[in-house]
Amino acid sequence: GKMFASISTCNSVPCEEEGVLTKFDALISKDGEKVPLDAPITVTDKMNVKDWLKELEKGMHTTLAKLLNTAVTESQSAEALTSSPEGKTEFVNWASKFPAQVMILASLVEWSMGIDAALRKENSKQELENALGAINGKLEVMAETVLLDLPTESRKKFEQLITELVHQRDVTR
C-alpha cells in the first residue's frame, strides 16, 4: 500500500532460531538510503504475508516517529548557529544523520513552529526577520556543502533540503 511506496527492499538477517524464517532490521529506499528499524521484525513460518507486512508497517511507523521526534529536538537545539564554523558543522551533521524524508519534515516542523511563534509576538516583523536570517544561514551552509565532494545519496538529500529552505525563505519573505 501507500506506506511502502519508497521502500525498495528490507534488509534481511538470517536467523537460526527454529520456526523463524528471517528478521528484517532495516528498510532500504530505491535511492539506497538505509533506515534501521527501531526493533527488528521477526517473520516466522506460522505468519502469513499480511501479518508480517502489518508488523513491518507498524515498525516503520514507530521508527519514523522516533526519528522525527529526535530530528526536531536536535534541529531546534542547533537553530541559528549557522554563523559559526562549529554551528555550520553541527547543522551539516544534523542533516546527514537522518533519512531524507525525516530531515525534510523536521525542517518543516521547526520552520512552522518558528514562524507561528514569531507571528504571535508583538514585534513579529523583527522576529520574522530573525527567522529569515536563520533560513538564509542554513541555505548558505547547504550551498557551500553541496559543492564539496559528496556521496551521491548525501548530495541528493542536501539538494532536497536546499529546495525546501528556498521555499521557506520565499514564504517567510
Side-chain angles (χ1 to χ4, degrees), residues 114-126:
I115 296 302
D116 181 64
L119 290 172
R120 291 177 188 275
K121 295 198 174 165
E122 282 193 34
N123 60 340
S124 61
K125 186 172 174 118
Q126 182 57 49

Side-chain angles (χ1 to χ4, degrees), residues 70-84 86-95 98 110 134 137-138 141:
T70 303
V72 169
T73 302
E74 290 182 13
S75 171
Q76 289 173 328
S77 67
E79 170 74 23
L81 294 176
T82 52
S83 57
S84 72
E86 299 81 21
K88 290 177 179 183
T89 301
E90 188 177 332
F91 181 65
V92 171
N93 289 343
W94 172 85
F98 297 98
E110 182 214 350
K138 291 174 183 179
V141 170

